[in-house]
Amino acid sequence: MIKPTAIKNRILNYWSDMGSNESWLTSLIAAIGLISALFHGEVLADERRTSFDISVGATYLSGYTDYKVGGTVVWDNFPPSEYHFPTSELDWPLDKMWATLRGQVFYENWRLEALLQKNLTKDPGNMEDRDWGVYPYPQSSPDTLDILGIVETEMDAWAGDINADYTFYRTPEWSFFTGLGYTYQQYDFEGQNVTQIQRNPSGGAWVGYRSGDVINYEVAYHIPYARVGTTFIYKDAHNNEKFYLEGSFAYSPIVRAEDEDNHLLRGFTARSTTDGDAFIVLLKSRYNVSPQWFVGLNFNYTTINADGTTRVEYPGSASLYNYSMDVELTSQQLQSTFEIGYRF
């Protein structure tokens, strides 16, 4: 669990370059209050007052989650060492189909939304394992890619999101809202059957193949966020809502990532808990086929960055070589969702 003091220090450090001495959340709430006061006379209550809808959909996710290590190595039983960053990288693909379930509740100017996703396909593509500077100088340098491993991958994953928004300004066509939310993502990978290409310092390369289990990797992202957005509604001649368009931008300076890397062939486990930030851009569209039924097309782009220290441990007598080193996690994701829903 992230300590409150650590959260406060991270937020204040992030905004210090902008001359702010307040947290991003406090600043956001103050801005919302000011905007609401300015437009108080023009805020319209939602005509729907209380309603809710539910939808199911198919989502295609494209992107990757990337794991890099290197830099400062602190050994348990030896003096510290300095290495190039990165010395090793695992690039895990995320290309797969999801099943998506979404529910929304509307009350006057408030909206509460919950979303749950589960992967439908298990083969996201091949993971690439890269290593730099394997040979001593001058046969190799920190910038020389010496080993490339291509690993067949299976993945199991799920994700969830819950958020609450408040509309602080509304006209018959346009509205503007802000809110808070939390996204959780869990990815579990299994790697088998590696093809390894290793550079030969004398020229050319060696190519090898090994079947069976090679590596297991798990990563979870915790993303609490604040967001702002706008909506546009088109109504027909009978004043029935026909088309709905929504765009929003969200940011989180307090992302928490937890991962575990089990190198089955080399016999060690690396675990880390890292902190960072995330950006989320969301575009949602909806066409009302009838007063109750609707279809929608949504796009979500998310980028995540986190860094910290990973702990590497060997079993038994090999624990003499346990150490900690720098780690960096990066993920970029684009979701495209087609959904069908019913409004109550």
Side-chain angles (χ1 to χ4, degrees), residues 1-4 6-7 256 258 273 275:
M1 179 179 294
I2 310 176
K3 296 181 179 179
I7 295 175
R256 170 60 59 95
E258 301 166 335
T273 299
D275 299 313

Side-chain angles (χ1 to χ4, degrees), residues 84-319:
H84 176 71
F85 190 93
T87 57
S88 183
E89 175 185 19
L90 304 180
D91 190 358
W92 297 94
L94 298 178
D95 302 333
K96 65 183 182 307
M97 293 294 300
W98 294 89
T100 297
L101 175 66
R102 183 196 313 273
Q104 298 183 105
V105 178
F106 300 87
Y107 177 71
E108 295 186 347
N109 293 314
W110 291 94
R111 174 180 63 179
L112 178 65
E113 179 183 46
L115 177 144
L116 184 64
Q117 294 178 303
K118 185 71 177 71
N119 66 304
L120 295 174
T121 55
K122 289 184 172 293
D123 180 11
N126 293 329
M127 183 270 283
E128 293 188 1
D129 182 357
R130 307 180 187 96
D131 296 295
W132 288 267
V134 172
Y135 304 108
Y137 184 82
Q139 294 177 316
S140 179
S141 71
D143 297 323
T144 303
L145 178 61
D146 291 325
I147 298 177
L148 171 63
I150 300 174
V151 182
E152 298 174 15
T153 303
E154 289 188 357
M155 180 187 66
D156 191 32
W158 72 276
D161 178 88
I162 186 168
N163 62 80
D165 296 322
Y166 178 75
T167 297
F168 57 84
Y169 178 72
R170 187 192 303 276
T171 71
E173 293 84 19
W174 291 93
S175 66
F176 297 88
F177 65 87
T178 188
L180 302 174
Y182 170 76
T183 293
Y184 176 81
Q185 300 177 350
Q186 173 75 47
Y187 301 101
D188 299 332
F189 299 93
E190 295 181 357
Q192 308 92 17
N193 308 329
V194 57
T195 299
Q196 184 167 293
I197 305 169
Q198 183 167 340
R199 186 180 67 87
N200 184 344
S202 302
W206 296 292
V207 178
Y209 176 82
R210 180 160 182 171
S211 60
D213 295 335
V214 176
I215 186 173
N216 294 330
Y217 181 70
E218 302 175 2
V219 61
Y221 293 112
H222 304 263
I223 311 172
Y225 60 84
R227 71 172 179 172
V228 293
T230 184
T231 66
F232 173 78
I233 296 175
Y234 172 76
K235 297 182 179 181
D236 62 18
H238 302 286
N239 204 37
N240 296 315
E241 181 182 314
K242 294 299 292 182
F243 179 74
Y244 173 92
L245 183 65
E246 175 185 323
S248 66
F249 172 79
Y251 175 65
S252 173
I254 48 174
V255 168
R256 170 60 59 95
E258 301 166 335
D259 76 317
E260 181 175 312
D261 168 22
N262 291 300
H263 265 64
L264 303 179
L265 296 183
R266 297 174 61 186
F268 70 79
T269 300
R271 300 181 180 89
S272 73
T273 299
T274 54
D275 299 313
D277 59 7
F279 297 88
I280 304 171
V281 178
L282 179 64
L283 181 65
K284 298 169 66 176
S285 64
R286 173 183 295 185
Y287 179 76
N288 293 323
V289 181
S290 72
Q292 284 76 43
W293 290 97
F294 62 86
V295 294
L297 185 61
N298 308 325
F299 300 95
N300 179 312
Y301 175 76
T302 301
T303 178
I304 306 168
N305 295 281
D307 57 61
T309 302
T310 188
R311 174 68 179 171
V312 179
E313 296 182 339
Y314 291 86
S317 60
S319 62

